[in-house]
Amino acid sequence: MASAQKRHDDIIIQRRFSENASTHAVKQLYAVTYPGHSDQGTEHGSYDEAERIALKLAEEKGLSVWYEENPQSERRMLVKSFRNSN
């Protein structure tokens, strides 16, 4: 099977970190991002919740979902593709 390659319109789950202003505690967040959509408000405290939402969107739009543990590295792991699954 040929390895899949990210397309410009695919959905990405990005791992991010957030710091609480008063306690300075750092927590992981997972944002569901895709072109033409602000990712404000798409951050979730659990990967499972972010993945569930991303997979639902990808299935509706016929896209693929990728996971980026470190967005600066540009290394992605394919979660699932709904392309050509008519």
Side-chain angles (χ1 to χ4, degrees):
M1 179 172 165
S3 65
Q5 193 166 358
K6 180 189 171 293
R7 292 172 44 139
H8 72 283
D9 57 348
D10 282 337
I11 296 170
I12 309 293
I13 301 170
Q14 287 183 340
R15 184 177 74 155
R16 299 180 181 173
F17 296 94
S18 175
E19 182 178 347
N20 182 301
S22 59
T23 65
H24 299 288
V26 176
K27 65 180 178 178
Q28 287 187 119
L29 299 171
Y30 298 91
V32 177
T33 67
Y34 52 98
H37 180 267
S38 167
D39 60 3
Q40 294 295 84
T42 67
E43 294 176 334
H44 302 278
S46 82
Y47 174 84
D48 290 341
E49 180 67 10
E51 183 183 78
R52 185 183 65 75
I53 290 167
L55 289 172
K56 183 178 178 197
L57 278 168
E59 186 171 21
E60 290 171 0
K61 297 175 181 282
L63 302 174
S64 297
V65 175
W66 297 82
Y67 171 65
E68 287 182 340
E69 187 168 322
N70 179 0
Q72 289 75 26
S73 76
E74 299 213 10
R75 289 182 55 197
R76 297 175 184 95
M77 179 181 75
L78 180 64
V79 177
K80 186 167 185 176
S81 179
F82 293 96
R83 292 195 181 279
N84 301 324
S85 61
N86 297 350

